[in-house]
Amino acid sequence: MKHTKFMTAAIGLAFVGAFAVNAQAADMPKFTIVNDTIPASLTGKPGDAANGRKVAIDRKKGNCLACHVMPIPEQQFHGHVGPDLHGVAKRYDEATLRMRVVDPKVLNEDTMMPSFFTTGQHRVTKKFEGKTILGAQEVEDVIAYLKTLM
Amino acid sequence: MNFKTIITTIAVLGTGITLAACQMDAYQAPNPNGSELWSGYKTATAETRAMQDDDFANPGMPMVDSAAALYNKKDGEANMSCADCHGAVDDPKGGSKGLPMKGVSARYPVYDADTKKPINVELRINKCRTKYQKAKEYKYESDAMLGMTGLIALQSRGIPMMSTADNPSDELNAAWKAGEAFYYERRGQLNMSCKHCHEDHQGELIRAEVLSQGQSNGFPTYRLKWSKLGSLHRRFRGCNGNIRAEPYGYGSDEYLNLETYLAWRGRGLPMEGPSVRK
């Protein structure tokens, strides 16, 4: 199992590599998976938790509330499709949380949760083609916010 | 008989019935909907349910009424009305030619030998218009088409959907298979398939909406969000667009295949069009 996952990650990275050879190398998602986690910050910079909370709420960005109950009382209607994120930082360390947001399909290939920092999906609308759902710094901001959910 | 024996008896009987059913319909693919088959009506809001329950409150009905007039109106170079071939829309005998509207929406899509593809009610209406009435096609999402499909759906209210397209000997089987592949294929920037919302997470809240099984038995449907009747293909386009996937065209092969597959997923559900949803 571990082996298979390592393979997926390796193939994933090979793809990233192949794409990087084409245009817009700068925009391509780059990350390194180690044992089903992503230990290193995507930007090398720390995230901003306050902005991460905003990204999580924003329907055009994280839209995490569509699927998760979160400690965001001023927002109505939290979805129940995924687990409640209260206390999620007690359950996972930073490297695992980053994996879960960047590309949760590495952990569960059948998951409904979108991969927020990958490209290459089938039949993406023109407007979003070749783009990740969140930018690298936005992912880091969301991670910083999730880390406050103790 | 104690409780345990009763349970065992029920279990044995149950198995017997299942086996018998399997023998009768040996081809039948397993029901993918989960333990229960249910319509979006079940998780609709009290407000929209009340509207659907009362034809006078159903905001889709005025368009259906206008279509009833069109149904009886002579049109095209042939100067014929729908009623000239089919009798009154609610005539269970379907006029002198025996072509009733009753049950049509529960039976469709069917196989069209001319195109060798599935044909749905919308495309069938247009085929009658061009072939028999020698009239112009209705635009897919036009008021006339929505009203006419609503009027025809009304004649099937309460009749269970009856697709047998899963049967390898059914002429629609290839379309059914293509529709099934579409249903389970991830797409769009959010990279989801139909099954992620309507099979895996049915009955759960996605933000303020309860996910239904995504059944097609209520179409055309009046959506408060659209303030209008809308076709099943409009709904497909909406569900595709929400996950940032490029939608397919109205009446496209992809959506005809998907419609064929959904008709089978809903097999046994009573028709309820024109329904009302938020």
Side-chain angles (χ1 to χ4, degrees):
Chain A
M1 196 61 196
K2 270 269 175 298
H3 183 66
T4 338
K5 280 182 190 160
F6 176 73
M7 290 294 286
T8 320
I11 294 165
L13 286 175
F15 259 105
V16 174
F19 281 7
V21 180
N22 297 323
Q24 356 161 339
D27 295 348
M28 280 300 138
K30 279 193 206 95
F31 51 89
T32 309
I33 301 174
V34 182
N35 291 330
D36 290 351
T37 70
I38 304 178
S41 158
L42 302 176
T43 58
K45 280 185 242 148
D48 169 0
N51 191 51
R53 192 176 188 276
K54 284 192 198 132
V55 171
I57 295 170
D58 190 338
R59 286 170 194 263
K60 296 206 156 87
K61 299 226 165 179
N63 196 18
C64 313
L65 289 175
C67 299
H68 294 283
V69 173
M70 301 173 79
I72 302 182
E74 76 276 17
Q75 287 282 323
Q76 266 187 301
F77 307 125
H78 299 200
H80 285 81
V81 160
D84 188 331
L85 294 184
H86 280 85
V88 74
K90 276 188 271 190
R91 299 195 288 278
Y92 300 108
D93 61 13
E94 181 186 313
T96 308
L97 288 173
R98 192 175 285 109
M99 184 79 253
R100 290 241 167 222
V101 174
V102 166
D103 189 7
K105 280 153 203 92
V106 170
L107 300 163
N108 170 11
E109 64 174 6
D110 199 29
T111 189
M112 174 173 173
M113 179 158 153
S115 301
F116 285 90
F117 198 64
T118 62
T119 53
Q121 299 87 336
H122 170 54
R123 227 184 141 79
V124 178
T125 50
K126 286 265 162 338
K127 192 173 163 205
F128 295 106
E129 211 177 352
K131 298 192 177 121
T132 56
I133 305 174
L134 295 180
Q137 192 55 47
E138 286 170 334
V139 171
E140 289 308 319
D141 294 351
V142 167
I143 301 305
Y145 168 62
L146 291 177
K147 279 173 67 187
T148 68
L149 305 185
M150 290 302 283
Chain B
M1 219 161 35
N2 65 19
F3 184 66
K4 205 172 161 194
T5 350
I6 295 174
I7 294 295
T8 322
T9 316
I10 293 172
V12 169
L13 275 177
T15 321
I17 292 164
T18 322
L19 283 177
C22 285
Q23 266 155 8
M24 270 158 44
D25 287 322
Y27 59 84
Q28 216 171 299
N31 170 13
N33 292 296
S35 54
E36 208 196 327
L37 184 64
W38 50 275
S39 148
Y41 178 84
K42 181 177 145 180
T43 44
T45 61
E47 184 197 9
T48 58
R49 278 197 197 202
M51 289 168 135
Q52 183 176 326
D53 290 344
D54 174 2
D55 282 348
F56 293 101
N58 186 328
M61 284 305 175
M63 214 173 249
V64 171
D65 288 340
S66 312
L70 286 181
Y71 187 92
N72 294 311
K73 197 181 133 207
K74 293 192 187 293
D75 202 0
E77 280 168 40
N79 198 33
M80 284 173 78
S81 71
C82 314
D84 287 339
C85 284
H86 298 279
V89 73
D90 57 356
D91 174 4
K93 293 208 181 66
S96 55
K97 295 195 169 67
L99 297 164
M101 289 298 110
K102 187 176 176 172
V104 166
S105 300
R107 198 156 46 78
Y108 266 57
V110 296
Y111 181 73
D112 181 4
D114 292 338
T115 59
K116 306 203 166 32
K117 290 195 302 208
I119 183 167
N120 63 3
V121 176
E122 285 87 345
L123 298 189
R124 179 67 248 190
I125 290 169
N126 273 341
K127 190 166 175 178
C128 284
R129 286 188 62 76
T130 53
K131 192 169 169 186
Y132 299 118
Q133 291 180 301
K134 311 265 179 240
K136 265 181 34 192
E137 294 189 348
Y138 292 143
K139 285 221 172 70
Y140 201 95
E141 205 64 15
S142 63
D143 291 4
M145 181 63 97
L146 291 165
M148 198 61 87
T149 54
L151 179 69
I152 293 170
L154 201 55
Q155 315 309 317
S156 286
R157 277 229 179 130
I159 300 177
M161 296 179 82
M162 53 187 81
S163 163
T164 53
D166 57 326
N167 188 333
S169 68
D170 194 295
E171 286 164 310
L172 283 179
N173 193 245
W176 178 84
K177 278 199 182 121
E180 181 187 46
F182 191 102
Y183 193 88
Y184 288 100
E185 184 181 23
R186 286 185 187 271
R187 61 175 55 76
Q189 194 195 34
L190 304 194
N191 212 18
M192 292 178 206
S193 71
C194 312
K195 80 111 188 183
H196 286 106
C197 285
H198 295 299
E199 188 173 302
D200 294 354
H201 295 284
Q202 57 179 251
E204 292 172 16
L205 273 172
I206 185 158
R207 204 74 204 227
E209 298 225 51
V210 185
L211 289 166
S212 72
Q213 288 184 344
Q215 300 287 3
S216 55
N217 63 317
F219 284 81
T221 194
Y222 187 97
R223 277 191 80 194
L224 304 185
K225 186 181 155 189
W226 295 336
S227 316
K228 202 179 170 180
L229 277 178
S231 69
L232 181 61
H233 290 197
R234 182 170 182 192
R235 179 81 244 194
F236 289 164
R237 289 169 61 85
C239 281
N240 279 171
N242 286 341
I243 53 168
R244 299 178 178 174
E246 191 63 41
Y248 291 85
Y250 290 101
S252 60
D253 289 355
E254 287 82 3
Y255 284 170
L256 287 172
N257 292 338
L258 185 60
E259 180 172 357
T260 301
Y261 176 69
L262 271 200
W264 170 79
R265 277 183 83 98
R267 177 176 159 156
L269 272 184
M271 296 296 288
E272 55 181 68
S275 66
V276 185
R277 301 283 189 266
K278 76 171 175 175

